[in-house]
Amino acid sequence: MLPVALRHQYPDGRAVRQFAKFEGVPHDTRMYMDSSSWIPDPLVDYLKETGDFDILEKEEGFLNPETGRVEDDLKATIYEHAFRGVTALYEHRGLYGLCRIGHGDWNDALSRIGGEKGVSVWLSCACVYQCKLMAELAEFLGRGDDAAAFRRVAAEMTERINAHGWDGKWYIRGFTKKGIKIGSNESEEGKLFLNAQTWAVYSGVASPERGKQCMDEVDKHLYSKYGLHLLWPSYSKPDDDIGYVTRVYKGIKENGSIFCEPCTARITRR
């Protein structure tokens, strides 16, 4: 399925949020900028599990952003697709050099913070993690220049996240298009977001000291006997600079509910 998915990547490395299998059904082309960040993970896992390195030389086309069709006049290897996907995260940066969120990221409901300035600290952490995976892969393949380039980007983004994304006790979730922090102790609501903390630790962005501190705050504010809430406190007032997350009931969907996926990043520590 990975080669099929990669056919729905744009030549510049970005990818659609969802693609339709059947002719005539439209793709979801809203630019959720995390879409390309998920390419290295399954690719590296597949390689480690199967040893099928021949797949890296398989060529696939790209999605034409104007026609919405997969075209084979421009092709690239699977390795190059992954390379372009991670590079796109770095090349599309906004405020403070952090990754632009576009229409949203993993948290679909952060739907209005994009624009030229709107950035995601979580996505920036994901960029670091994926760069490290690509560096590991490139090193194994003997592509030393690629490995060094990915490590430089990981180091640069780590520095930027810690300089602009650390809020004193935890990592903020991002900045709106107006340059306003979200997921900050300064925020009236939505002060603390789970994924920004787990991925700061997961990616190695957080130092051991900051990692312990932000996870202690997760335990303090987000932990419950049913799992970990996505954010605290839930939004109660619509905010069109943040998006849909502020318009659903408290504790529903991304507005402070419990999702299984991000909880797994915390279970091992408990």
Side-chain angles (χ1 to χ4, degrees), residues 118-131:
V119 294
S120 167
V121 168
W122 170 81
L123 184 55
S124 299
C125 290
C127 178
V128 171
Y129 178 71
Q130 305 302 344
C131 279

Side-chain angles (χ1 to χ4, degrees), residues 106-107 110 122 170-174 182-184 187 189-199 214 218 222 229-233 235 242 245-246 254-256:
W106 180 93
N107 190 326
L110 293 173
W122 170 81
W170 57 73
Y171 289 90
I172 67 170
R173 190 56 173 77
I182 56 172
S184 165
S187 307
E189 297 176 325
K191 292 177 178 288
L192 174 63
F193 281 72
L194 173 61
N195 277 6
Q197 319 317 314
T198 53
W199 276 73
C214 70
V218 165
L222 301 180
H229 295 269
L230 288 180
L231 62 86
W232 165 87
Y235 291 99
I242 297 175
V245 67
T246 67
E254 290 88 351
N255 192 15

Side-chain angles (χ1 to χ4, degrees), residues 20-178:
K21 180 177 180 180
F22 301 105
E23 186 74 22
V25 180
H27 306 304
D28 184 349
T29 58
R30 291 175 294 173
M31 192 44 62
Y32 284 80
M33 286 299 293
D34 69 310
S35 295
S36 66
S37 74
W38 304 107
I39 298 172
D41 242 337
L43 176 59
V44 170
D45 282 350
Y46 173 81
L47 294 172
K48 289 181 177 179
E49 184 70 24
T50 67
D52 177 22
F53 285 87
D54 290 341
I55 194 175
L56 295 174
E57 298 305 316
K58 179 179 173 59
E59 292 189 337
E60 291 293 345
F62 290 94
L63 189 70
N64 186 316
E66 296 181 359
T67 66
R69 292 177 177 273
V70 175
E71 298 181 356
D72 291 330
D73 57 335
L74 174 63
K75 285 187 174 183
T77 64
I78 297 297
Y79 175 85
E80 178 66 20
H81 274 272
F83 185 101
R84 294 189 190 197
V86 179
T87 301
L89 298 177
Y90 180 72
E91 290 181 344
H92 290 82
R93 288 171 293 138
L95 191 65
Y96 301 124
L98 301 174
C99 294
R100 289 182 184 168
I101 191 171
H103 196 83
D105 59 20
W106 180 93
N107 190 326
D108 301 16
L110 293 173
S111 57
R112 296 295 296 274
I113 74 173
E116 290 299 310
K117 288 186 176 181
V119 294
S120 167
V121 168
W122 170 81
L123 184 55
S124 299
C125 290
C127 178
V128 171
Y129 178 71
Q130 305 302 344
C131 279
K132 289 180 177 179
L133 283 182
M134 288 300 295
E136 177 186 353
L137 175 58
E139 193 74 55
F140 183 83
L141 297 174
R143 298 173 181 252
D145 289 345
D146 287 357
F150 280 119
R151 290 195 179 102
R152 283 195 298 271
V153 171
E156 177 189 329
M157 294 303 294
T158 295
E159 183 176 347
R160 289 179 184 276
I161 295 165
N162 279 298
H164 304 288
W166 179 249
D167 201 46
K169 293 183 178 180
W170 57 73
Y171 289 90
I172 67 170
R173 190 56 173 77
F175 292 88
T176 72
K177 54 182 171 286
K178 294 180 179 178

Side-chain angles (χ1 to χ4, degrees), residues 106 194-195 226-228 230 257-267:
W106 180 93
L194 173 61
N195 277 6
Y226 302 108
L228 294 163
L230 288 180
S257 67
I258 297 170
F259 280 31
C260 293
E261 179 187 347
C263 284
T264 59
R266 188 69 184 100
I267 288 173

